[in-house]
Amino acid sequence: MNALVYLIPAALLLGGLGLAAFLWTLKSGQYSDLDGAAYRILFEDDLPPQPDRIVTEKSRESDNSDS
């Protein structure tokens, strides 16, 4: 029973630290771009995109209308 005197404040302190860390991440914008990291891992940023390899929806439509 005497252990609860130490464990309850310790649990409240750790919970408060976790909540403070979560609120800090919200304020710093950690969750503002959730999809960006998923796309950045697929594409290399070191190489600039080559314009002849970029196929846009408009060029696909023009290719389909020519044939």
Side-chain angles (χ1 to χ4, degrees), residues 8-44:
I8 290 175
L12 291 174
L13 178 69
L14 290 175
L17 286 174
L19 181 63
F22 175 71
L23 292 175
W24 176 74
T25 59
L26 280 178
K27 277 184 120 179
S28 65
Q30 293 283 322
Y31 306 108
S32 63
D33 184 20
L34 296 177
D35 294 332
Y39 290 117
R40 280 192 300 273
I41 198 168
L42 296 175
F43 301 109
E44 294 182 20

Side-chain angles (χ1 to χ4, degrees), residues 38-58:
Y39 290 117
R40 280 192 300 273
I41 198 168
L42 296 175
F43 301 109
E44 294 182 20
D45 290 338
D46 298 337
L47 301 174
Q50 297 178 358
D52 59 334
R53 291 191 176 194
I54 297 174
V55 178
T56 60
E57 193 66 33
K58 200 173 199 176

